[in-house]
Amino acid sequence: MHIFTRHHHAFLKLLSFRMLMVLAYQIMAVAVGWHIYEITHDTLALGLIGLAEVVPYFTCALFAGHAVDHYCSRRFFGTLAAVALGVNALTLTMLTMGLIGDIASASYWIYGSIMLTGIERAFIAPSYSTLFAIILPREEYARASAIGSSVFQAGLIAGPAIGGLLVGFASKTFAYSMATTLCVAAAIAMWSIKIDEPAAPTDSPSVFTSIGEGLRFVFNNQIVWGALSLDMFAVLFGGAVAMLPAFIHDIYHYGPEGLGILRAAPAIGSIMTGIWLSRNPINLHAGRWLLASVAGFGLCIICFGLSTYIWMAGAMLVLSGIFDGVSVVMRTTILQLATPDAMRGRVSAINGIFIGSSNELGAFESGLAARLLGLVPSVIFGGMMTLGIVAVTAKAAPQLRKLELHQLH
């Protein structure tokens, strides 16, 4: 492919970093979810995992975006985040080995580690996004976004499956140890990227002025804030992954292996979509494709909530991943094309707040809704809310609804 002939080494190393970080994070997520539910048997405790991560992430994301745009090397921040996540995984390894903490304090150690993970994640997306734009020419953004999405989704397939198998057939200790090793490999991949990064601006504004510039750009651009808002609220209400341990344990009566399989199911659909779009990028009716894909995702979540067999639930999650894959590629391409080079770190950080934090807030919302409405009704409610969000966005953001990608070049 054209990308790999002109930018072979740098782009492959960036993709390797992304894959390794996703694998490590997903293995930890499966192990932590099973670990917490094993201790508490409480769906709200699963939701609190998301809240524990999103609060520090939300607090640090804008500052991380400013730092990536104005200070030091983008590779430095990506490497630092990988090393720090590895330290978290190592801490959890020591916890399960009995080297730190005890049964009474285990939950506090786990939630504390998750909070630090939120801080580390704040630097990953801005580092990746800015290096992506430095390495690749603009005409390759759409195709490269699909390839990057495929790599990301491949990690989402392999990570939960590996995590579930490691927890089920080995131990939580081994799963956390594997995540530690992957983080070290990710740090090496990031630091070994050899590119000429643009020098940081010498007349950098104050941090709050810089953050304000990024926020004004996003909220004054109907296409950008429309795309971000659509995905944020869809993920906030439509995410059912956080409740999978409860579905596996209480409805399907499977072990952690089943949890790993179902966590990987959406990514199976997404990676198929990413591979297709890398060869057949969408150029016409981009806005309509984005809205339709999110609506399809919401319908799949409703069907998942109604599923009584694990194979049926898996099929619905795969289909939801297909729709989500279209949404992710379209949103990523729109943001890369619409964002000025000097603002990529800050806009990526704002995107992370919209999308990344909505995953964790969605996990908390799912746990709280499951406590109030019941497990199955809460998932159906979330899917219906997603359909409502699509209708509101289509009405409120006509520029996004009518968007053609050539308008952004």
Side-chain angles (χ1 to χ4, degrees):
M1 297 177 67
H2 184 59
I3 294 172
F4 292 106
T5 56
R6 292 187 60 197
H7 313 278
H8 181 80
H9 294 294
F11 191 58
L12 277 181
K13 288 178 180 178
L14 185 63
L15 292 178
S16 297
F17 165 80
R18 191 175 202 190
M19 168 68 85
L20 291 166
M21 290 296 283
V22 172
L23 286 174
Y25 179 81
Q26 290 298 321
I27 289 172
M28 288 178 65
V30 170
V32 162
W34 193 261
H35 201 168
I36 284 290
Y37 199 70
E38 198 174 51
I39 295 170
T40 66
H41 295 283
D42 186 355
T43 55
L44 184 59
L46 292 173
L48 288 174
I49 292 175
L51 187 64
E53 184 171 348
V54 74
V55 171
Y57 179 90
F58 188 88
T59 304
C60 297
L62 293 176
F63 298 97
H66 168 80
V68 170
D69 276 342
H70 293 95
Y71 303 116
C72 201
S73 162
R74 284 80 172 176
R75 293 184 302 126
F76 169 80
F77 288 112
T79 304
L80 182 63
V83 171
L85 185 63
V87 172
N88 277 6
L90 181 60
T91 300
L92 293 174
T93 303
M94 296 171 65
L95 175 66
T96 57
M97 294 176 66
L99 299 178
I100 57 175
D102 53 30
I103 295 177
S105 64
S107 295
Y108 297 104
W109 281 97
I110 294 171
Y111 285 125
S113 180
I114 293 168
M115 291 177 68
L116 292 176
T117 298
I119 298 174
E120 295 143 13
R121 280 188 56 226
F123 288 90
I124 295 173
S127 300
Y128 175 85
S129 181
T130 52
L131 288 170
F132 178 100
I134 292 171
I135 292 170
L136 298 168
R138 289 179 65 86
E139 61 269 18
E140 298 289 0
Y141 283 1
R143 195 181 300 274
S145 294
I147 294 172
S149 176
S150 296
V151 168
F152 180 78
Q153 299 300 337
L156 292 185
I157 292 173
I162 293 171
L165 292 172
L166 292 178
V167 173
F169 293 105
S171 65
K172 295 186 292 292
T173 301
F174 194 78
Y176 290 136
S177 300
M178 179 62 71
T180 304
T181 303
L182 291 170
C183 288
V184 173
I188 294 172
M190 172 60 78
W191 192 250
S192 65
I193 294 175
K194 302 300 181 184
I195 56 170
D196 295 325
E197 296 188 51
T202 56
D203 56 342
S204 300
S206 68
V207 59
F208 291 105
T209 300
S210 173
I211 289 172
E213 290 175 352
L215 290 171
R216 282 192 297 274
F217 169 78
V218 169
F219 289 106
N220 288 334
N221 189 311
Q222 186 181 114
I223 292 172
V224 172
W225 72 252
L228 294 183
S229 299
L230 177 65
D231 262 23
M232 181 184 75
F233 287 108
V235 172
L236 178 63
F237 291 107
V241 171
M243 293 299 103
L244 285 180
F247 272 92
I248 288 291
H249 192 278
D250 299 338
I251 295 178
Y252 308 131
H253 307 293
Y254 274 74
E257 315 85 53
L259 173 61
I261 292 171
L262 284 193
R263 282 189 65 100
I268 294 174
S270 293
I271 194 171
M272 291 190 297
T273 302
I275 292 172
W276 171 262
L277 292 179
S278 69
R279 297 179 176 273
N280 304 277
I282 295 173
N283 293 310
L284 298 176
H285 313 305
R288 294 179 186 177
W289 275 103
L290 179 59
L291 290 163
S293 63
V294 177
F297 173 81
L299 288 172
C300 289
I301 294 302
I302 293 173
C303 293
F304 164 77
L306 295 171
S307 302
T308 55
Y309 298 99
I310 191 170
W311 64 265
M312 185 184 301
M316 288 300 101
L317 290 176
V318 170
L319 191 57
S320 76
I322 292 175
F323 287 113
D324 187 53
V326 176
S327 170
V328 168
V329 171
M330 296 312 303
R331 175 175 51 81
T332 302
T333 303
I334 289 169
L335 288 182
Q336 289 287 2
L337 289 173
T339 303
D341 289 338
M343 286 190 176
R344 292 193 182 278
R346 283 161 287 175
V347 172
S348 178
I350 296 168
N351 173 53
I353 290 175
F354 273 76
I355 309 305
S357 64
S358 62
N359 282 297
E360 284 69 44
L361 284 176
F364 177 68
E365 181 273 335
S366 296
L368 185 60
R371 171 70 70 85
L372 296 175
L373 303 175
L375 184 59
V376 171
S378 68
V379 173
I380 296 173
F381 168 78
M384 294 176 65
M385 287 295 294
T386 299
L387 296 179
I389 294 301
V390 173
V392 171
T393 304
K395 179 69 174 179
Q399 291 181 22
L400 176 64
R401 186 180 70 246
K402 300 173 183 178
L403 176 68
E404 306 285 350
L405 282 185
H406 65 78
Q407 298 170 356
L408 301 177
H409 284 283

